[in-house]
Amino acid sequence: MIDLAPLHNPHNLRGIAASRAVLGADVPHVAVFDTAFHHTIPERAYLYAIPYQLYRRHKVRRYGFHGTSHRYVAYRWRELTGVPRDRTRIITLHLGNGCSACAIDGGNSIDTSMGFTPLEGLVMGTRSGDLDPAVLEYLGAKEGLSPSDVDNLLNKQSGLLGLSGLTNDMRELLAEADENDDRRARLAIDIFCYRARKYIGAYLAALGGADAIVFAGGIGENSAEIRAQICDGLGWAGVEVDEAANARMVGGAEGRITTESARLAVWVIPTDEELLIARDTYRVVTGAAARF
Ligand code: AMP
């Protein structure tokens, strides 16, 4: 699968080889794929509307990433609310340096915002997220950029960094916007929040309504301001943020940030990908039954 992710898979394999060199060939190695949780996404959501034979020939489709995080957050939400897995209908937002949204129905991922690579979807620290593919050729011609230059531009110089011209760090952007009234820092934040809200709207439609929206990731877990801005304008869907609860949910705190009367609950649940990786590894090695 190196072909599909040339920047990542060779390094992952090197990690396995290096560990094997230290631990010996008898110690089993388990690879926990960030795409695995998204295997339940139906064809209608994972296929791009390009000639079908290109999907067959080159496996060009949406795979989704951050699966371990979305899976953990959904599992933890069920644990906190007592809702059974098959009745779990929620939208999870992993907002860190990389960002993605996931629509979860019956406990399974049915759609997610990252695609063939982690470039698609939400605005991220340095990635553009959704973009008209025609921009690639146009920019290549105008700026004299090769396809790999454009790829680099969209992955490493875009998103919050590209829009603000300052930084990919949300903390710094918020400080610039609040303290120095920096227009482009504010613009980057506005675009980030607007895109996230659009995906929530799309996934509410995909799911036919949801029982909760859950924030995770460095930004989702720590920034009450960003959560409030994303939720602002979701009143029609039943979201009513409790300002005090929202302000409390930072630095690893876990809980609901909407009022008692809100029809659509919003939660903050710090992600724990390491825990699921450890559990998956244990399960694969011992053959124990799946819990999630
Ligand atoms: P992650 O990739 O999950 O570690 O998240 C990194 C992102 O979270 C960076 O953009 C950080 O600026 C952001 N972040 C961390 N703490 C805060 C905070 N207190 N307020 C706003 N953003 C934060």
Side-chain angles (χ1 to χ4, degrees):
M1 281 183 279
I2 282 179
D3 231 20
L4 284 173
L7 297 179
H8 296 89
N9 286 343
H11 302 295
N12 297 334
L13 287 173
R14 218 169 288 146
I16 293 177
S19 308
R20 187 158 278 171
V22 174
L23 300 170
D26 292 341
V27 177
H29 285 259
V30 178
V32 177
F33 285 76
D34 231 12
T35 49
F37 183 55
H38 301 303
H39 272 212
T40 45
I41 292 179
E43 254 182 336
R44 65 175 183 216
Y46 76 62
L47 281 182
Y48 292 113
I50 59 174
Y52 186 75
Q53 62 271 28
L54 295 178
Y55 159 61
R56 298 304 297 269
R57 213 181 298 153
H58 303 295
K59 308 282 181 277
V60 175
R61 51 159 284 182
R62 313 181 66 252
Y63 290 100
F65 299 86
H66 283 153
T68 315
S69 178
H70 292 296
R71 184 163 60 110
Y72 171 79
V73 164
Y75 147 75
R76 182 70 188 145
W77 180 81
R78 292 200 299 276
E79 203 169 60
L80 291 168
T81 57
V83 174
R85 188 182 200 285
D86 60 357
R87 283 206 279 118
T88 299
R89 198 179 52 152
I90 61 175
I91 297 166
T92 51
L93 292 168
H94 179 105
L95 307 179
N97 203 27
C99 300
S100 69
C102 184
I104 297 174
D105 198 12
N108 299 323
S109 170
I110 61 137
D111 207 346
T112 194
S113 58
M114 284 177 168
F116 180 64
T117 74
L119 184 56
E120 193 179 345
L122 303 178
V123 175
M124 316 186 204
T126 61
R127 297 186 199 125
S128 63
D130 292 339
L131 181 86
D132 181 342
V135 169
L136 274 67
E137 203 203 327
Y138 184 79
L139 269 187
K142 288 284 178 194
E143 294 276 315
L145 301 172
S146 69
S148 75
D149 290 338
V150 177
D151 189 67
N152 186 61
L153 179 92
L154 298 178
N155 274 291
K156 306 232 164 93
Q157 298 165 45
S158 299
L160 296 175
L161 172 67
L163 285 167
S164 69
L166 292 171
T167 173
N168 61 327
D169 191 307
M170 185 56 95
R171 249 171 320 198
E172 290 175 25
L173 284 180
L174 287 165
E176 282 297 326
D178 291 346
E179 291 157 26
N180 301 331
D181 202 22
D182 188 280
R183 191 189 90 82
R184 278 182 41 203
R186 175 55 59 199
L187 187 65
I189 294 167
D190 285 351
I191 295 170
F192 180 93
C193 294
Y194 177 69
R195 183 85 55 88
R197 188 173 343 128
K198 272 212 302 197
Y199 266 90
I200 291 173
Y203 288 169
L204 283 172
L207 290 165
D211 297 313
I213 296 167
V214 187
F215 284 98
I219 299 170
E221 291 166 25
N222 292 297
S223 180
E225 193 174 335
I226 296 296
R227 291 191 302 250
Q229 193 172 336
I230 292 173
C231 291
D232 187 28
L234 286 176
W236 62 271
V239 171
E240 257 173 37
V241 172
D242 176 333
E243 269 184 47
N246 188 29
R248 269 199 312 276
M249 239 47 85
V250 292
E254 179 179 70
R256 216 180 61 179
I257 60 166
T258 35
T259 60
E260 288 288 330
S261 58
R263 279 183 292 113
L264 175 53
V266 180
W267 289 73
V268 176
I269 298 183
T271 195
D272 194 345
E273 292 148 303
E274 290 84 353
L275 179 69
L276 282 205
I277 291 169
R279 286 181 177 170
D280 283 353
T281 303
Y282 178 80
R283 180 160 59 86
V284 168
V285 171
T286 63
R291 275 192 59 204
F292 317 109

Coordinates of all heavy atoms in Angstrom, one line a residue, residues 4 8-9 19 49 72 82 93-94 122 125 130 169 189 214 238 240 259 266 273:
L4 N -0.3 4.1 -2.3 CA -1.5 4.9 -1.9 C -1.1 6.0 -0.9 O -1.7 7.0 -0.8 CB -2.6 4.1 -1.2 CG -3.4 3.2 -2.2 CD1 -4.3 2.3 -1.4 CD2 -4.2 4.1 -3.1
H8 N 3.7 8.3 4.0 CA 3.5 7.7 5.3 C 3.9 6.3 5.5 O 4.6 5.9 6.4 CB 2.0 7.9 5.7 CG 1.6 9.3 5.9 ND1 1.1 10.0 4.8 CD2 1.6 10.1 6.9 CE1 0.8 11.2 5.2 NE2 1.1 11.3 6.5
N9 N 3.4 5.4 4.5 CA 3.6 4.0 4.7 C 5.0 3.5 4.8 O 5.3 2.6 5.6 CB 2.8 3.2 3.7 CG 1.3 3.3 3.9 OD1 0.9 3.6 5.0 ND2 0.5 3.0 2.9
S19 N 11.7 -1.9 15.2 CA 11.3 -2.5 16.5 C 11.6 -4.0 16.4 O 12.0 -4.6 17.4 CB 9.8 -2.4 16.7 OG 9.4 -1.1 16.5
A49 N -17.1 10.9 -8.1 CA -17.9 10.8 -9.4 C -16.9 11.0 -10.6 O -17.0 11.9 -11.4 CB -19.0 11.9 -9.4
Y72 N -12.8 6.1 19.1 CA -12.7 6.3 20.6 C -13.8 7.2 21.1 O -14.4 6.9 22.1 CB -11.3 6.8 21.0 CG -11.3 7.1 22.5 CD1 -11.2 6.1 23.4 CD2 -11.5 8.5 22.9 CE1 -11.3 6.4 24.8 CE2 -11.6 8.7 24.3 CZ -11.5 7.7 25.2 OH -11.6 8.0 26.5
G82 N -24.8 6.0 28.2 CA -25.5 4.8 28.3 C -26.3 4.4 27.0 O -27.0 3.4 27.0
L93 N -16.2 15.6 15.7 CA -15.3 16.6 15.0 C -13.9 16.4 15.7 O -13.8 16.8 16.9 CB -15.8 18.0 15.2 CG -17.1 18.4 14.5 CD1 -17.6 19.7 15.0 CD2 -16.9 18.5 13.0
H94 N -13.0 16.0 14.9 CA -11.6 15.9 15.5 C -10.9 17.2 14.9 O -10.6 17.3 13.7 CB -10.9 14.7 15.0 CG -9.5 14.6 15.5 ND1 -9.1 13.8 16.6 CD2 -8.4 15.3 15.1 CE1 -7.8 14.0 16.8 NE2 -7.3 14.9 15.9
L122 N -12.2 19.6 6.0 CA -12.2 20.8 6.8 C -10.9 21.6 6.5 O -9.9 21.1 6.0 CB -12.3 20.5 8.3 CG -13.5 19.6 8.7 CD1 -13.4 19.3 10.2 CD2 -14.8 20.4 8.4
G125 N -4.6 23.0 9.9 CA -3.4 23.9 10.3 C -2.7 24.4 9.0 O -2.5 25.6 8.8
D130 N -11.3 21.1 1.4 CA -12.0 21.1 0.1 C -11.6 22.3 -0.8 O -11.4 23.4 -0.4 CB -13.5 21.3 0.3 CG -14.1 20.0 1.0 OD1 -13.5 19.0 0.9 OD2 -15.2 20.2 1.6
D169 N -1.0 27.7 14.2 CA -1.4 27.4 15.6 C -2.6 28.2 16.0 O -2.6 29.4 16.0 CB -0.2 27.7 16.5 CG -0.3 27.2 17.9 OD1 -1.4 27.5 18.5 OD2 0.5 26.5 18.4
I189 N -9.8 32.2 11.1 CA -10.7 31.6 12.2 C -12.1 31.5 11.7 O -12.8 30.4 11.8 CB -10.6 32.4 13.5 CG1 -9.2 32.3 14.1 CG2 -11.7 31.9 14.5 CD1 -9.0 33.3 15.2
V214 N -19.9 15.9 18.9 CA -18.8 15.7 19.9 C -17.5 16.3 19.4 O -17.1 16.0 18.2 CB -18.5 14.2 20.2 CG1 -17.5 14.1 21.4 CG2 -19.8 13.5 20.6
G238 N -31.3 22.8 17.1 CA -31.5 22.5 18.5 C -30.3 22.6 19.4 O -30.3 22.2 20.6
E240 N -28.0 24.7 21.8 CA -28.0 25.8 22.7 C -26.8 25.7 23.6 O -26.9 24.9 24.6 CB -29.3 25.8 23.6 CG -30.4 26.7 23.2 CD -31.6 26.4 24.0 OE1 -31.5 26.0 25.2 OE2 -32.8 26.4 23.5
T259 N -27.2 23.4 27.0 CA -28.1 23.5 28.1 C -29.0 22.3 28.3 O -29.0 21.5 27.4 CB -29.1 24.7 27.9 OG1 -29.8 24.4 26.7 CG2 -28.4 26.0 27.7
V266 N -24.2 18.9 22.7 CA -22.8 19.1 22.2 C -21.9 18.7 23.3 O -22.1 19.1 24.5 CB -22.5 20.5 21.7 CG1 -21.1 20.6 21.2 CG2 -23.5 20.9 20.6
E273 N -6.4 8.0 21.3 CA -6.1 7.0 20.3 C -5.2 5.9 20.8 O -5.4 4.8 20.5 CB -5.5 7.7 19.1 CG -6.5 8.6 18.4 CD -5.8 9.9 17.8 OE1 -5.2 10.6 18.5 OE2 -5.9 10.1 16.5

